[in-house]
Amino acid sequence: MPTDEDSLRFMRRAIELSRVHMEAGEGGPFGAVVVKDGQIVGEGWNRVTSSHDPTAHAEVVAIRQACQRLGTFQLRGCEIYTSCEPCPMCLGAVYWARLDRLWYANGREDAAAIQFDDEWLYREVALPAEARRLPSRQLLRDEALDVFRAWAKKPDKTPY
């Protein structure tokens, strides 16, 4: 567990990344760092507009970098510091990466006040598929289940 002083330093780095890269025109005002054993192992900032990638949020970028550096797809033993409370996509990435703890500075309401309002998405994903705005339809389930059955029987799979 980091000391209070360490936590402040890591959060200040996430905030610094958000400012520097926002001012450089690389994306929105968001930054994140992944920390393991008191060391930053991944840094990210919002690169949505500069990389033409809607998934290039600060948290996702930092998680990807940390995983590459550590040679793993799970970040147990790590924490993430982010300049803003994560959107639903990033929160999902934090959970999938198995990070031990999430620290954030600005809240969802602060982001909404500058036109980064994710509240609609939080509400939308909680709805059953048929009630969502995005039309969806299931196709070829039986064919796809064959692949799942093969995965279930695969002796050399890497579970996650």
Side-chain angles (χ1 to χ4, degrees), residues 78 118 133:
C78 297
D118 298 324
R133 286 189 247 172

Side-chain angles (χ1 to χ4, degrees), residues 9-136:
R9 179 169 50 89
F10 299 138
M11 185 60 77
R12 285 189 176 109
R13 178 62 181 157
I15 294 168
E16 177 185 27
L17 290 168
S18 74
R19 178 180 297 280
V20 166
H21 295 284
M22 178 267 302
E23 289 176 349
E26 295 177 30
F30 305 97
V33 297
V34 174
V35 174
K36 181 174 179 69
D37 300 327
Q39 300 295 315
I40 294 174
V41 294
E43 292 188 336
W45 51 90
N46 184 285
R47 297 178 183 179
V48 169
T49 57
S50 60
S51 68
H52 309 289
D53 179 355
T55 69
H57 289 202
E59 298 90 341
V60 171
V61 172
I63 288 168
R64 288 174 181 164
Q65 187 180 89
C67 286
Q68 287 296 308
R69 281 194 176 148
L70 298 175
T72 184
F73 60 89
Q74 292 186 349
L75 296 174
R76 286 188 173 94
C78 297
E79 299 182 336
I80 190 165
Y81 292 78
T82 181
S83 65
C84 187
E85 185 176 359
C87 74
M89 177 185 69
C90 293
L91 186 58
V94 167
Y95 275 99
W96 276 114
R98 309 295 198 269
L99 286 148
D100 289 358
R101 183 179 301 264
L102 164 67
W103 304 79
Y104 64 91
N106 292 315
R108 288 169 21 189
E109 65 284 350
D110 301 316
I114 61 165
Q115 282 72 57
F116 288 96
D117 190 355
D118 298 324
E119 200 56 44
W120 70 273
L121 188 50
Y122 277 100
R123 287 191 306 272
E124 188 80 4
V125 297
L127 296 172
E130 64 275 4
R132 295 182 189 146
R133 286 189 247 172
L134 179 65
S136 62

